[in-house]
Amino acid sequence: MHYLDVSASHAVLAGIEELDELAVRRGATAVLSVGLVPGVTNLLVRHCVERSGTGQARVGVLLGSGEQHGPSAIRWTLDGLGRLEGSWAMRFPAPFGERVVHRFPFSDQYTLPRTLGIGQVATGLALDSRLTTALLAAARGPAVGRLLRRPRVREALVAALGRIHLGVTGSR
């Protein structure tokens, strides 16, 4: 069986990679990181690294908080909060301009140093709504992390975030 994966979870991708020997023996092919992040971002980083000759990269992802995201995507985002420290300013095309990007554990930062042979890749997240991005940053704190580990609180938040669309890219 051949396999195509759009997962952004490093743990999922690493688990699939561990099956490489079995896949080769069975004549199966797995294509990983085939999405926006990872996927298109991998291609862009490779292009930039080849052109610049640098041994490091920063990937800033600006997502539409006004879009509809499913419960799994919301849970995955909540799981990533508070796992990495740091933020930086990055310029995005109009109408967004300069935004603060908060470090976030997209799988690119784990796979690209190995696959491109570069030193470090930092990945970060910003949302089109500055308010939602600020809330995202505030949610990285330890007190909020403890609160998000409570199943009832977590699922109530997942349900609420599935209904709230604060960004400018939403179709509502």
Side-chain angles (χ1 to χ4, degrees), residues 63-86:
L63 296 179
S65 54
E67 299 296 332
Q68 292 186 7
H69 301 285
S72 294
I74 295 170
R75 285 184 193 98
W76 179 82
T77 303
L78 292 175
D79 289 344
L81 297 177
R83 292 199 22 221
L84 299 171
E85 293 294 323

Short mmCIF file of all heavy atoms in Angstrom, two decimals, residues 63-86:
data_model
loop_
_atom_site.label_atom_id
_atom_site.label_comp_id
_atom_site.label_asym_id
_atom_site.label_seq_id
_atom_site.Cartn_x
_atom_site.Cartn_y
_atom_site.Cartn_z
N LEU A 63 -1.59 32.16 9.65
CA LEU A 63 -2.81 31.43 9.36
C LEU A 63 -4.03 32.30 9.59
O LEU A 63 -4.01 33.21 10.41
CB LEU A 63 -2.91 30.18 10.24
CG LEU A 63 -1.85 29.11 10.03
CD1 LEU A 63 -2.06 27.96 11.00
CD2 LEU A 63 -1.84 28.61 8.60
N GLY A 64 -5.09 31.98 8.89
CA GLY A 64 -6.34 32.71 9.03
C GLY A 64 -7.14 32.21 10.21
O GLY A 64 -7.65 31.10 10.19
N SER A 65 -7.24 33.01 11.25
CA SER A 65 -8.04 32.61 12.41
C SER A 65 -9.52 32.77 12.11
O SER A 65 -10.36 32.29 12.87
CB SER A 65 -7.65 33.41 13.64
OG SER A 65 -7.70 34.79 13.37
N GLY A 66 -9.85 33.41 11.01
CA GLY A 66 -11.24 33.54 10.62
C GLY A 66 -11.75 32.34 9.85
O GLY A 66 -12.95 32.22 9.59
N GLU A 67 -10.85 31.45 9.48
CA GLU A 67 -11.24 30.24 8.76
C GLU A 67 -11.85 29.24 9.73
O GLU A 67 -11.69 29.33 10.94
CB GLU A 67 -10.02 29.61 8.08
CG GLU A 67 -9.35 30.51 7.06
CD GLU A 67 -10.24 30.85 5.88
OE1 GLU A 67 -11.12 30.04 5.53
OE2 GLU A 67 -10.04 31.93 5.31
N GLN A 68 -12.53 28.26 9.18
CA GLN A 68 -13.07 27.20 10.01
C GLN A 68 -12.03 26.09 10.13
O GLN A 68 -11.51 25.62 9.12
CB GLN A 68 -14.35 26.65 9.40
CG GLN A 68 -15.47 27.66 9.43
CD GLN A 68 -16.78 27.07 8.95
OE1 GLN A 68 -16.90 25.88 8.71
NE2 GLN A 68 -17.77 27.91 8.80
N HIS A 69 -11.71 25.74 11.36
CA HIS A 69 -10.75 24.69 11.63
C HIS A 69 -11.47 23.58 12.39
O HIS A 69 -12.25 23.85 13.29
CB HIS A 69 -9.58 25.21 12.46
CG HIS A 69 -8.85 26.34 11.79
ND1 HIS A 69 -7.99 26.15 10.74
CD2 HIS A 69 -8.88 27.68 12.02
CE1 HIS A 69 -7.51 27.32 10.35
NE2 HIS A 69 -8.03 28.26 11.11
N GLY A 70 -11.18 22.36 12.03
CA GLY A 70 -11.81 21.22 12.68
C GLY A 70 -11.26 20.98 14.07
O GLY A 70 -10.23 21.52 14.45
N PRO A 71 -11.95 20.14 14.85
CA PRO A 71 -11.53 19.87 16.23
C PRO A 71 -10.11 19.30 16.32
O PRO A 71 -9.37 19.66 17.23
CB PRO A 71 -12.56 18.86 16.74
CG PRO A 71 -13.68 18.88 15.78
CD PRO A 71 -13.20 19.47 14.51
N SER A 72 -9.72 18.45 15.40
CA SER A 72 -8.36 17.88 15.45
C SER A 72 -7.31 18.96 15.25
O SER A 72 -6.28 18.96 15.93
CB SER A 72 -8.20 16.79 14.39
OG SER A 72 -9.02 15.70 14.70
N ALA A 73 -7.55 19.87 14.32
CA ALA A 73 -6.60 20.96 14.08
C ALA A 73 -6.51 21.88 15.30
O ALA A 73 -5.42 22.32 15.68
CB ALA A 73 -7.00 21.76 12.85
N ILE A 74 -7.64 22.14 15.94
CA ILE A 74 -7.64 22.99 17.14
C ILE A 74 -6.91 22.29 18.27
O ILE A 74 -6.08 22.91 18.96
CB ILE A 74 -9.09 23.36 17.54
CG1 ILE A 74 -9.72 24.23 16.45
CG2 ILE A 74 -9.11 24.07 18.89
CD1 ILE A 74 -11.22 24.45 16.62
N ARG A 75 -7.16 21.00 18.47
CA ARG A 75 -6.45 20.26 19.53
C ARG A 75 -4.95 20.26 19.27
O ARG A 75 -4.15 20.42 20.19
CB ARG A 75 -6.97 18.82 19.61
CG ARG A 75 -8.32 18.71 20.27
CD ARG A 75 -8.75 17.24 20.42
NE ARG A 75 -10.13 17.16 20.77
CZ ARG A 75 -11.12 16.93 19.90
NH1 ARG A 75 -10.85 16.69 18.63
NH2 ARG A 75 -12.37 16.92 20.31
N TRP A 76 -4.54 20.04 18.01
CA TRP A 76 -3.12 20.02 17.66
C TRP A 76 -2.48 21.37 17.98
O TRP A 76 -1.38 21.44 18.51
CB TRP A 76 -2.95 19.66 16.18
CG TRP A 76 -1.53 19.65 15.74
CD1 TRP A 76 -0.63 18.64 15.91
CD2 TRP A 76 -0.82 20.71 15.11
NE1 TRP A 76 0.59 19.01 15.41
CE2 TRP A 76 0.49 20.28 14.91
CE3 TRP A 76 -1.19 21.98 14.68
CZ2 TRP A 76 1.46 21.07 14.28
CZ3 TRP A 76 -0.22 22.78 14.07
CH2 TRP A 76 1.07 22.31 13.88
N THR A 77 -3.19 22.45 17.68
CA THR A 77 -2.67 23.79 17.97
C THR A 77 -2.55 24.00 19.47
O THR A 77 -1.53 24.49 19.96
CB THR A 77 -3.58 24.87 17.35
OG1 THR A 77 -3.67 24.64 15.93
CG2 THR A 77 -3.03 26.26 17.60
N LEU A 78 -3.56 23.60 20.22
CA LEU A 78 -3.50 23.73 21.68
C LEU A 78 -2.34 22.91 22.24
O LEU A 78 -1.66 23.35 23.18
CB LEU A 78 -4.82 23.29 22.32
CG LEU A 78 -6.03 24.18 22.03
CD1 LEU A 78 -7.30 23.55 22.62
CD2 LEU A 78 -5.81 25.59 22.54
N ASP A 79 -2.10 21.73 21.68
CA ASP A 79 -0.99 20.89 22.14
C ASP A 79 0.36 21.56 21.93
O ASP A 79 1.30 21.33 22.68
CB ASP A 79 -0.99 19.53 21.42
CG ASP A 79 -2.13 18.64 21.84
OD1 ASP A 79 -2.74 18.90 22.90
OD2 ASP A 79 -2.41 17.67 21.11
N GLY A 80 0.47 22.37 20.89
CA GLY A 80 1.73 23.02 20.58
C GLY A 80 2.03 24.25 21.41
O GLY A 80 3.17 24.70 21.47
N LEU A 81 1.01 24.78 22.09
CA LEU A 81 1.22 25.98 22.90
C LEU A 81 2.15 25.69 24.07
O LEU A 81 2.04 24.68 24.73
CB LEU A 81 -0.12 26.50 23.44
CG LEU A 81 -1.12 26.97 22.39
CD1 LEU A 81 -2.42 27.38 23.07
CD2 LEU A 81 -0.56 28.10 21.56
N GLY A 82 3.07 26.60 24.30
CA GLY A 82 3.95 26.49 25.46
C GLY A 82 5.07 25.49 25.31
O GLY A 82 5.84 25.28 26.23
N ARG A 83 5.21 24.86 24.14
CA ARG A 83 6.27 23.87 23.98
C ARG A 83 7.59 24.50 23.58
O ARG A 83 8.64 23.89 23.77
CB ARG A 83 5.86 22.81 22.96
CG ARG A 83 4.72 21.97 23.51
CD ARG A 83 4.47 20.66 22.86
NE ARG A 83 5.54 20.06 22.14
CZ ARG A 83 5.38 19.44 20.99
NH1 ARG A 83 4.21 19.36 20.43
NH2 ARG A 83 6.40 18.88 20.39
N LEU A 84 7.56 25.70 23.01
CA LEU A 84 8.79 26.35 22.56
C LEU A 84 8.78 27.82 22.97
O LEU A 84 7.75 28.47 22.96
CB LEU A 84 8.92 26.24 21.04
CG LEU A 84 9.00 24.82 20.48
CD1 LEU A 84 8.89 24.86 18.98
CD2 LEU A 84 10.27 24.15 20.92
N GLU A 85 9.95 28.32 23.30
CA GLU A 85 10.08 29.72 23.72
C GLU A 85 10.59 30.56 22.56
O GLU A 85 11.30 30.08 21.70
CB GLU A 85 11.08 29.81 24.88
CG GLU A 85 10.61 29.16 26.15
CD GLU A 85 9.42 29.84 26.76
OE1 GLU A 85 9.34 31.09 26.70
OE2 GLU A 85 8.55 29.15 27.30
N GLY A 86 10.22 31.81 22.59
CA GLY A 86 10.76 32.77 21.65
C GLY A 86 9.75 33.28 20.65
O GLY A 86 8.72 32.67 20.40
#
